[in-house]
């Protein structure tokens, strides 16, 4: 199977590494630095921009596409350009080829659910995006399944919870605080990539949505206290949502994010047969905690 990973960044590079032993993997990035990272991972590197149909001509035919491009943390308009317009360009460009792909996996976010007051959500829960950016992500999900279907491509939406892992443990944020109340829904980078690999290799969840989240959503306060205990430091200061929302300098986007609370279920992914390398944050943070206790690093 040849897999093209469009936006072969944090998760895409790990996905490529996991697939490379048994499949042909092409990593697509826009920048020279991105191409160097793809090459360093031992993958075939191609320079192209998902928003530019002409540049996508350099990307070879594939059996499966993984769309994991990033808007670089910019606003909703930039996100729409990449996630919606870029994904449409990718689907149309590859869909018009004589050897069009069979599958597309689009990596979305659990942010599309909005606020559920701490209740559980799953693949059947209606979407209720509360920010301009999560509205864009919901629109991109429709492209991944509906527009792709128009071209005979089976689209799968993989909704990632909060990603963490090497270079993204963010220990300092939780160890120093203040920590605002709410729930954390997380997935280690290796399992985010592993789940996509599993969906492709096992050929499951075509034209479907899959929540990619670990076994145990946890309250931020409980997580912070556990992390402090494991690192051998005092529990960090806490603040309620009301206290955090009283900050007059808080952006509207941050305000809506704080007001959003839910717990994400991975029952469907488990039922499909995926086995987690890091089923909870306890296993996932073990390496970071060991490093912190050894040299005080908070990467």
């Amino acid at each position: 199977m040849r897999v093209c990973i469009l936006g072969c960044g944090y998760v895409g590079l790990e996905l490529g590494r996991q697939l490379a032993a048994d499949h042909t993997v092409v990593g697509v990035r826009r920048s020279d630095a991105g191409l160097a990272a793809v090459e360093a991972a031992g993958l075939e590197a191609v320079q192209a921009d998902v928003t530019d149909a002409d540049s996508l001509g350099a990307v070879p035919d594939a059996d499966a596409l993984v769309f994991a491009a990033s808007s670089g943390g910019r606003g909703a308009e930039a996100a729409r350009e990449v996630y919606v317009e870029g994904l449409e360009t990718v689907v149309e460009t590859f869909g018009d080829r004589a050897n069009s792909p069979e599958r597309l996996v689009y990596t979305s976010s659990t942010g599309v659910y909005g606020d559920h007051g701490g209740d559980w959500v799953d693949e059947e829960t209606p979407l209720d995006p509360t920010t301009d950016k999560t509205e864009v992500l919901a629109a991109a999900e429709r492209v991944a399944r509906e527009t792709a279907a128009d071209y005979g491509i089976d689209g799968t939406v993989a909704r990632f919870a909060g990603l963490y892992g090497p270079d993204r443990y963010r220990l300092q944020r939780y160890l120093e605080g203040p920590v605002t109340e709410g729930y954390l829904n997380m997935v280690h980078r290796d399992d985010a990539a592993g789940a996509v690999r599993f969906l492709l290799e096992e050929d499951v969840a075509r034209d479907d949505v899959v929540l990619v989240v670990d076994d145990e959503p946890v309250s931020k306060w409980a997580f912070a206290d556990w992390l402090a205990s494991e690192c051998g430091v005092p529990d960090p200061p806490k603040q309620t949502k009301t206290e955090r929302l009283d900050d007059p300098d808080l952006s509207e986007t941050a305000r809506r994010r704080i007001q959003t609370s839910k717990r994400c279920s991975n029952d469907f992914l488990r039922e499909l047969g995926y086995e987690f390398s890091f089923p909870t944050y306890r296993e996932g943070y073990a390496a970071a905690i060991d490093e912190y206790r050894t040299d005080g690093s908070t990467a």
Side-chain angles (χ1 to χ4, degrees):
M1 176 169 57
R2 173 179 279 156
V3 180
C4 286
I5 305 171
L6 300 145
C8 192
Y10 188 62
V11 174
L13 288 169
E14 176 59 24
L15 172 61
R17 287 188 285 264
Q18 292 187 23
L19 287 170
D22 300 306
H23 309 282
T24 301
V25 183
V26 178
V28 180
R29 295 286 291 271
R30 289 183 300 178
S31 68
D32 292 340
L35 285 179
V38 173
E39 291 171 349
L43 311 176
E44 179 182 345
V46 174
Q47 190 164 29
D49 185 334
V50 297
T51 65
D52 181 352
D54 289 339
S55 76
L56 289 171
V59 183
D61 292 345
D63 301 298
L65 305 175
V66 177
F67 190 95
S70 169
S71 62
R74 295 175 293 164
E77 285 308 309
R80 180 172 295 279
E81 181 181 359
V82 173
Y83 299 132
V84 178
E85 297 170 12
L87 185 54
E88 287 175 338
T89 299
V90 165
V91 169
E92 292 165 2
T93 299
F94 282 87
D96 279 337
R97 293 185 178 185
N99 295 311
S100 61
E102 291 187 12
R103 295 200 65 178
L104 163 71
V105 177
Y106 164 62
T107 61
S108 186
S109 163
T110 58
V112 296
Y113 286 111
D115 180 37
H116 287 268
D119 287 343
W120 287 91
V121 300
D122 61 19
E123 290 79 3
E124 302 302 318
T125 304
L127 304 190
D128 185 21
T130 56
T131 68
D132 291 342
K133 189 167 184 178
T134 53
E135 287 177 358
V136 168
L137 295 176
E141 290 192 5
R142 292 191 290 273
V143 173
R145 298 182 67 192
E146 297 172 12
T147 306
D150 291 340
Y151 286 85
I153 302 170
D154 290 332
T156 299
V157 172
R159 288 185 188 139
F160 289 168
L163 292 166
Y164 74 98
D167 300 319
R168 290 198 188 182
Y169 288 108
R170 304 181 181 93
L171 266 66
Q172 187 172 0
R173 173 192 300 180
Y174 295 104
L175 294 179
E176 296 185 359
V179 179
T180 305
E181 68 179 323
Y183 278 106
L184 285 171
N185 297 276
M186 297 186 285
V187 64
H188 192 283
R189 177 205 64 184
D190 293 7
D191 279 314
V196 175
R197 173 192 52 76
F198 173 82
L199 296 175
L200 292 173
E201 290 187 333
E202 299 301 316
D203 196 20
V204 293
R206 288 185 181 234
D207 190 27
D208 216 336
V209 177
V210 182
L211 262 170
V212 181
V213 60
D214 71 18
D215 289 347
E216 190 175 334
V218 60
S219 86
K220 294 178 183 177
W221 287 0
F223 172 73
D225 286 350
W226 172 83
L227 194 60
S229 175
E230 293 295 309
C231 289
V233 301
D235 291 348
K238 317 289 196 307
Q239 61 183 359
T240 64
K241 289 187 178 184
T242 300
E243 290 170 334
R244 183 73 176 100
L245 292 169
D246 281 342
D247 182 354
D249 297 325
L250 195 64
S251 70
E252 184 59 30
T253 298
R255 188 174 300 276
R256 291 182 182 180
R257 188 181 303 116
I258 290 165
Q259 292 171 322
T260 298
S261 180
K262 61 186 176 296
R263 286 174 287 173
C264 299
S265 168
N266 68 8
D267 285 353
F268 182 46
L269 182 57
R270 283 290 198 182
E271 289 168 5
L272 289 172
Y274 181 68
E275 294 293 333
F276 283 79
S277 298
F278 302 99
T280 77
Y281 60 88
R282 297 177 187 85
E283 297 85 3
Y285 270 82
I289 291 166
D290 287 344
E291 184 177 354
Y292 180 85
R293 293 182 69 94
T294 298
D295 60 19
S297 171
T298 58

